[in-house]
Amino acid sequence: ARDHLANERTYLAWVRTGLALLGASIALLKWEDVSSVTAYIVAVLGLTVIVLSTRRYFHVMNLLQKNEFEPNVGEALFIVSAALIVIVVTFVLHETGNLYHKA
């Protein structure tokens, strides 16, 4: 039972993170100085986090029922890579002046 509860806590933490990213993207869309491209990139990252965490939750739940365990290396690397790409793209857009709307 502990493993199942830990799996659920981890899943809910990832869902909270994805929802926070979606909320941040909505805030970025409302902020007139920031390009909508940035907001959409953050929204896609948030949706990706929610989809991958849901997929992982059910996968781990099935593994726990079979008394097996499989490390989560691939998806963890994907999420970290996606976040780094978003950071780099945002930095490049900021440095080139394309992050902000031109008045």
Side-chain angles (χ1 to χ4, degrees):
R2 278 184 168 176
D3 293 334
H4 288 280
L5 292 174
N7 184 36
E8 187 172 337
R9 276 192 310 272
T10 302
Y11 170 64
L12 292 174
W14 278 110
V15 169
R16 266 193 319 271
T17 301
L19 290 174
L21 287 168
L22 287 173
S25 71
I26 292 170
L28 287 171
L29 282 173
K30 298 288 182 183
W31 193 11
E32 294 179 3
D33 290 341
V34 176
S35 170
S36 60
V37 172
T38 306
Y40 290 125
I41 290 172
V42 172
V44 167
L45 182 61
L47 289 172
T48 302
V49 166
I50 292 172
V51 168
L52 288 179
S53 64
T54 302
R55 183 173 160 259
R56 179 68 183 172
Y57 170 74
F58 287 110
H59 178 69
V60 169
M61 187 173 60
N62 288 333
L63 290 175
L64 289 173
Q65 289 172 348
K66 296 181 206 174
N67 286 329
E68 297 175 3
F69 178 75
E70 188 176 298
N72 184 15
V73 176
E75 290 176 4
L77 288 175
F78 176 78
I79 293 295
V80 170
S81 300
L84 286 174
I85 289 170
V86 168
I87 290 168
V88 168
V89 167
T90 303
F91 180 77
V92 169
L93 288 174
H94 174 71
E95 290 299 313
T96 59
N98 294 327
L99 182 63
Y100 305 101
H101 286 293
K102 306 234 190 304

